[in-house]
Amino acid sequence: MKPAGARFNLPNLHITIDMTVPTVSNESLMEEIVGLCKRRGFIFPSSEIYGGYNGFYDYGPLGVELRNNIKQAWWRDFVQRRDDIVGLDSSIIMHPKIWQASGHVDGFSDPLVDCKESRKRYRADQLFCAPVVLDAEPCGYVAYVEGADEASIIKQAKKLRDSLDKKQSKLDEGQLFGSAADFTEVSDAVREQTLGPDASKAGTLTAPRAFKLMFETKVGPLADESAIAYLRPETAQGIFANYKNVVDTGRVKIPFGIAQIGKAFRNEITPRNFIFRSREFEQMEIEYFIAPDADWPSLHREWLDQCIDWLVSIGLPRESITEDVHPQEKLAFYSQATTDLMFHFPHGEQELWGIACRSDYDLKQHQQHSGKSMEFFDEASKSKYVPHVIEPSLGVDRTLLAVLTAAYCEDEVPNDKGQAEQRTLLKFSPRIAPYKAAVFPLLKNKPELVERADALYRKLQKRWSVFYDASGAIGRRYRRQDEIGTPFGITIDFDTIEKDGTVTLRDRDTCAQRRVSEAELIDFLEEQIEG
Ligand code: GAP
């Protein structure tokens, strides 16, 4: 979702465009996160030994733990801990008629802009166009991709200036950054005067054209049109297609929800910003069915608050989450309201979680196309109706990137010799951290310490994902765990064996240490991890 804009008038060109100011990126933070993910086994580029495959990623040993913990936390909080939501796991490939009924076959596309010179493709809603004013006179526009840094936009504006043979003219940088319009909204006149991000002269960008986002495949032995099927581009339609099954078998009462976690596939034109926008990703979606006369604005607000609370519960700072209310005139005809929860990612403030009121559109479409009634008999009101729906839809991978962004941190702590040393740490919430704790014998050549540490490790491992490390100086071992976000370090030393059996419990973020008994340790970990 692009940031909210304001109307802006360019007097000399007599063109009015919808101006928006895209947020400035923090490229180095993204680079640090990508580097750490690769170095420590969170996320790898897919098919890396063959040079990678754009828009696809693989999750390594730590990444898969983090990812599973996020999904489990979501499932526990939105399904298992609620009385009004049940789960579902539908197939990825479904009858192609589902995608005709939902409108995806005809309409699921992105507006695409081609550059005739560089042959590159851009998504029109991610391409911004800024006015270039030279010696106080509007002289054209430069296009840049969302998240581009200021220096590269200025460089591009100067390139346009040079191509116009106006090398000596003064560029008004204020105009360049004070306003920008996204490419879905610029007129042909503006487009023809625009220098593309990878072009050397203005006027090489085409008008936006629809690009189909669904991946096609063939099912069965026939190779003709009748065999065409689709990899699902969202999990939601699997829920609508099974709505009747759940109602008929599940004893659900309105309002109720059906939740699903699963893979979705979109042939994104411009997969970018690491796992933020990829071609294969995972969604956590709920369709929450309500009566047609329910107070949907209040329910929508309740859902927004619950979703914000959940994001905070997995470690995102409340102040990093904002709301983007879609303007009425931009909503699909069937949609009553949509608000996106936005997060401040390294490449700017972007959509994390979409919460939409979708009316009875999807169920009615399936009712019409399948010929099966989607009516619900409401015992309470003794009436029959097709329910309306509120849809909170969240990406697992995008949540993981948000969690990494919020957790990434660098500080200075004293090393084993008492000297200040820089450390990198991931401040994951214990709920979702890949390892909940690491167990260390103080010295690896003292069998009594090793034995005791190993026994505690085996005990904790029965309940949680924990790590054992005996090698290297203890400070180094702490640092290795800090970098992968292990919240607690537990050290077995001579006091443990010779005195009272207590262990040292170290906090990752403050480095504070205290001695606790084994019983206290278990209670503490239980409370921190399970909440
Ligand atoms: N059923 C509604 C739906 O799919 P959406 O806004 O297209 O709505 C919902 O997607 C969420 O899925 C987004 O808010 C985002 O978190 C995630 N998502 C969508 N496209 C994605 C992509 N290409 N890569 C990663 N996550 C994506």
Side-chain angles (χ1 to χ4, degrees), residues 7 17 20 51 76 134 150 155 299 315 319 336 346 419 479 490 530:
R7 305 298 295 181
I17 45 182
T20 57
R76 214 166 28 240
L134 300 172
E150 290 191 4
K155 201 166 153 203
L299 289 166
E319 62 278 10
Q336 294 155 313
Q419 295 151 341
R479 226 60 88 238
I490 302 156
E530 288 158 28

Side-chain angles (χ1 to χ4, degrees), residues 233-234 236 266 268 275-279 281 283 285 351-354 391 393-395 397-398:
E234 60 169 22
R266 295 183 191 176
E268 298 281 0
I275 52 172
F276 178 82
R277 179 171 291 107
S278 46
R279 289 178 166 142
F281 56 100
Q283 288 186 314
E285 296 201 292
E351 174 188 337
L352 171 60
W353 201 335
E391 179 193 70
S393 174
L394 174 65
D397 313 76
R398 228 172 251 193

Side-chain angles (χ1 to χ4, degrees), residues 287-435:
E287 300 302 331
Y288 195 71
F289 299 99
I290 60 174
D293 59 356
D295 176 8
W296 64 262
S298 306
L299 289 166
H300 189 218
R301 185 64 252 167
E302 270 175 36
W303 268 107
L304 283 165
D305 292 337
Q306 287 167 25
C307 293
I308 293 170
D309 288 349
W310 188 78
L311 291 174
V312 172
S313 83
I314 59 160
L316 301 194
R318 176 64 188 88
E319 62 278 10
S320 67
I321 305 161
T322 55
E323 293 179 22
D324 179 33
V325 181
H326 291 215
Q328 207 64 33
E329 68 274 12
K330 291 203 170 169
L331 292 174
F333 68 93
Y334 52 80
S335 178
Q336 294 155 313
T338 296
T339 300
D340 290 334
L341 294 182
M342 312 287 280
F343 178 76
H344 203 91
F345 288 97
H347 58 287
E349 194 166 76
Q350 298 278 325
E351 174 188 337
L352 171 60
W353 201 335
I355 295 126
C357 295
R358 293 180 60 93
S359 73
D360 53 5
Y361 174 77
D362 297 273
L363 284 184
K364 283 222 167 122
Q365 285 293 104
H366 288 302
Q367 179 168 271
Q368 190 194 328
H369 282 72
S370 68
K372 306 271 176 350
S373 167
M374 295 291 157
E375 280 183 330
F376 182 88
F377 180 69
D378 191 339
E379 284 284 353
S381 63
K382 302 279 180 236
S383 58
K384 254 186 176 183
Y385 50 75
V386 176
H388 284 221
V389 78
I390 295 177
E391 179 193 70
S393 174
L394 174 65
V396 175
D397 313 76
R398 228 172 251 193
T399 307
L400 200 138
L401 182 59
V403 159
L404 282 166
T405 307
Y408 186 91
C409 168
E410 286 170 5
D411 66 4
E412 271 189 357
V413 289
N415 63 15
D416 291 336
K417 295 184 189 115
Q419 295 151 341
E421 191 180 76
Q422 208 188 349
R423 75 169 172 159
T424 300
L425 70 159
L426 289 172
K427 289 186 173 179
F428 289 140
S429 146
R431 287 192 83 193
I432 56 159
Y435 293 121

Side-chain angles (χ1 to χ4, degrees), residues 94 99 104 232-238 264-266 283 285 391:
M94 300 189 287
W99 304 110
H104 283 82
R232 69 179 174 201
E234 60 169 22
T235 61
Q237 295 306 322
F265 304 83
R266 295 183 191 176
Q283 288 186 314
E285 296 201 292
E391 179 193 70

Side-chain angles (χ1 to χ4, degrees), residues 464-475:
W464 300 295
S465 161
V466 285
F467 192 79
Y468 179 85
D469 188 3
S471 60
I474 191 74

Side-chain angles (χ1 to χ4, degrees), residues 92-148:
I92 286 175
I93 297 178
M94 300 189 287
H95 199 294
K97 280 189 181 162
I98 286 183
W99 304 110
Q100 271 150 18
S102 67
H104 283 82
V105 169
D106 292 327
F108 192 56
S109 60
D110 265 345
L112 180 77
V113 171
D114 284 313
C115 176
K116 287 182 261 180
E117 181 187 330
S118 68
R119 308 230 161 265
K120 290 207 170 163
R121 285 191 151 173
Y122 313 93
R123 250 177 73 169
D125 58 344
Q126 291 166 9
L127 195 61
F128 289 84
C129 176
V132 175
V133 177
L134 300 172
D135 292 338
E137 206 183 303
C139 288
Y141 302 83
V142 282
Y144 61 91
V145 177
E146 188 173 46

